[in-house]
Amino acid sequence: MFGTSGIRGTVGEDVTAALALSVGRAVASEGYDTVVVGRDVRESGSVLVDAVAAGLRECGADVVEVGVESTPTIARSIAALEADAGVVVTASHNPATDNGIKLWTPSGKAFGPEQREAIERRVREDDYDLARWDGLGDRREHGRARNAHAERIADAVSLERTPSVVVDLGNGAGAVTPDVLDDLGCDVQTLNGQPDGSFPGRPSEPTAETLETLSTVVANTDAELGIAHDGDADRTLAVDETGTFVPKDALLALFARAAVREHGERGVDVAAPVDTSLAVDDAVADVGASVIRTRVGDVYVAERTTDDGVVFGGEPSGAWIWPEESRCPDGPLAAAKLVELVANRGPLSELVGEIERYPIRRTSLEVEDKAAVVAAVRSRLTDRYDEVDTLDGVRVETEDGWFLVRASGTEPLVRITAEARSEAAVDRVFDEASEAVEEAIDRVAAGG
């Protein structure tokens, strides 16, 4: 039921009011007595919120509804409202046809594996603790979640000057970002600022291709950077003052290095998934830190930020976590942190230029049994190499670089990623990984 980022799927097929009702019942039955509920801008969200709230109340939980807000706004409000859990109805960066449900703890971290399994078991077995007629939960509204989030963000940054910024909201729920940047004194221009769950301005997922308008506006104005969110604003990506898209690994490296410097201690760590570039390792090594690898998925990154000495966590997808603030990926906070970097340390293009770039190769192969193929790859490579990391797929470090073979969390695909410090080396590493996967596909097809 739960992928790496909660429940997601097509509305009316995979995601229905009946499912939302069941999830609400299951959350309340697990003993979460007060639950914050909110949603992104998708029209289907109002139906799903009503269903979730009904399920929660039917099993005795009180519901605090915060309305249409960004995911980090809702996640942060759980602790502020002294609630026990949160439910966000969102499909994040997925297309308008989709919606989903993600569950959060008061720390801002998404539900972990054991919590998700408990919810899934109850839904699967139709096992709920329905309340008596006089024990139903209450439902009330809370209208200050966005203001509280903005205040926390403003307290977390300090600008030596106030840059001009263009913010592309992608018609999503991230309105807190231009609000807080304006309050900080920045000159803010907004693109696609009208909330609209059909995402008419651009696709919900921000990429180099979907941010062409943002790039053009920044390049042709005096703006010093452009910032973009996905539909629920848990992701932040950027373009520099020339309108050039900032590579995701470079942005991860910038945030990680800044967090280490801000912490002021050597020997600390940052958390990042197994598909993260060597550039991040190099960037934090320069300031005395190291990278701890996690499984792919913000919940796994967030989990590692609970370890002593971990001062930052991030995924190249655009999810950034400052654990001292919240363990939810916080796009608006990331926007303010990036503005702070530009304001206090110089042009974004120059900051990005300080980060080493290494050649990287990626591909995906469609397979019928992705789990079996990855298992066959693991078996072969374990025999060939002394150290094979199987935390999430199969990751092998070589003298030239590294490669990763892992099953997609949402599609019938096996993904291959390879990186090295030269073009010739990355070709060798990528070919080696591809050969291992192709042999594994043949073996699985032959029943071996």
Side-chain angles (χ1 to χ4, degrees):
M1 179 181 295
F2 293 91
T4 55
S5 296
I7 299 169
R8 285 188 198 166
T10 303
V11 173
E13 297 178 11
D14 309 303
V15 178
T16 64
L19 174 62
L21 177 71
S22 296
V23 171
R25 287 171 167 175
V27 170
S29 298
E30 281 296 303
Y32 301 98
D33 295 329
T34 303
V35 182
V36 173
V37 177
R39 69 178 180 93
D40 70 17
V41 299
R42 299 161 202 264
E43 285 302 312
S44 58
S46 62
V47 174
L48 298 174
V49 161
D50 286 344
V52 166
L56 288 164
R57 296 180 63 205
E58 192 176 26
C59 293
D62 294 330
V63 174
V64 184
E65 187 175 351
V66 298
V68 177
E69 296 291 352
S70 74
T71 287
T73 299
I74 301 166
R76 278 181 180 254
S77 69
I78 301 167
L81 293 170
E82 298 183 345
D84 303 302
V87 180
V88 182
V89 174
T90 179
S92 191
H93 58 279
N94 281 31
T97 55
D98 292 359
N99 214 325
I101 302 169
K102 194 163 184 177
L103 309 178
W104 299 89
T105 68
S107 72
K109 186 174 72 67
F111 270 30
E114 292 184 2
Q115 293 169 299
R116 295 197 304 267
E117 171 54 31
I119 300 300
E120 186 169 349
R121 183 199 64 78
R122 286 188 179 272
V123 173
R124 184 175 60 247
E125 299 177 6
D126 201 29
D127 178 20
Y128 310 116
D129 298 331
L130 299 177
R132 288 166 41 92
W133 66 272
D134 57 352
L136 301 178
D138 294 326
R139 182 173 181 176
R140 63 183 175 88
E141 294 183 356
H142 175 77
R144 283 192 47 81
R146 187 182 305 178
N147 291 340
H149 189 192
E151 291 168 4
R152 289 286 301 274
I153 293 171
D155 289 342
V157 298
S158 177
L159 309 185
E160 295 178 3
R161 59 184 188 84
T162 52
S164 175
V165 188
V166 181
V167 180
D168 183 349
L169 296 177
N171 302 113
V176 65
T177 296
D179 287 351
V180 73
L181 293 180
D182 183 70
D183 289 344
L184 288 168
C186 297
D187 178 11
V188 183
Q189 178 180 350
T190 303
L191 297 179
N192 301 314
Q194 180 65 33
D196 188 332
S198 67
F199 305 116
R202 62 164 172 83
S204 179
E205 183 173 9
T207 66
E209 292 73 29
T210 63
L211 298 182
E212 290 182 356
T213 299
L214 176 63
S215 295
T216 299
V217 170
V218 172
N220 289 281
T221 64
D222 61 356
E224 295 183 54
L225 74 159
I227 288 165
H229 293 315
D230 62 342
D232 67 332
D234 64 343
R235 293 185 175 187
T236 291
L237 295 173
V239 301
D240 68 19
E241 73 279 6
T242 71
T244 301
F245 182 77
V246 177
K248 299 174 183 180
D249 283 309
L251 194 54
L252 172 50
L254 287 176
F255 281 142
R257 187 168 64 181
V260 173
R261 284 173 168 163
E262 183 178 344
H263 200 266
E265 292 183 19
R266 300 182 70 84
V268 296
D269 299 309
V270 300
V274 292
D275 58 352
T276 301
S277 171
L278 293 169
V280 179
D281 296 80
D282 291 352
V284 300
D286 288 344
V287 289
S290 59
V291 176
I292 297 175
R293 292 289 195 273
T294 76
R295 295 179 63 185
V296 174
D298 64 76
V299 64
Y300 302 112
V301 175
E303 183 64 38
R304 291 311 299 265
T305 66
T306 64
D307 293 354
D308 291 340
V310 177
V311 298
F312 176 78
E315 278 201 302
S317 62
W320 319 115
I321 299 171
W322 285 265
E324 292 181 353
E325 288 292 321
S326 172
R327 290 193 167 85
C328 174
D330 194 330
L333 175 61
K337 289 281 191 179
L338 189 59
V339 169
E340 181 182 43
L341 276 174
V342 171
N344 299 352
R345 298 187 65 86
L348 185 53
S349 62
E350 294 183 8
L351 296 175
V352 173
E354 296 173 1
I355 305 299
E356 292 287 348
R357 297 293 307 282
Y358 301 118
I360 193 165
R361 303 279 187 272
R362 291 187 174 94
T363 193
S364 297
L365 300 177
E366 187 169 348
V367 298
E368 292 185 6
D369 190 342
K370 58 189 178 183
V373 169
V374 172
V377 170
R378 182 186 306 116
S379 176
R380 170 181 171 170
L381 296 180
T382 301
D383 291 338
R384 177 176 296 184
Y385 294 96
D386 292 333
E387 295 187 11
V388 177
D389 186 343
T390 59
L391 176 66
D392 189 359
V394 185
R395 190 180 192 276
V396 175
E397 292 196 30
T398 71
E399 292 182 1
D400 296 324
W402 61 273
F403 66 82
L404 172 70
V405 177
R406 65 181 295 271
S408 167
T410 57
E411 300 173 273
L413 301 173
V414 170
R415 304 191 189 279
I416 304 172
T417 306
E419 184 185 38
R421 299 182 190 276
S422 70
E423 291 287 347
V426 78
D427 287 340
R428 289 195 299 272
V429 174
F430 181 76
D431 289 346
E432 187 171 347
S434 299
E435 179 183 342
V437 172
E438 289 167 2
E439 289 187 5
I441 292 173
D442 291 341
R443 184 190 306 176
V444 170

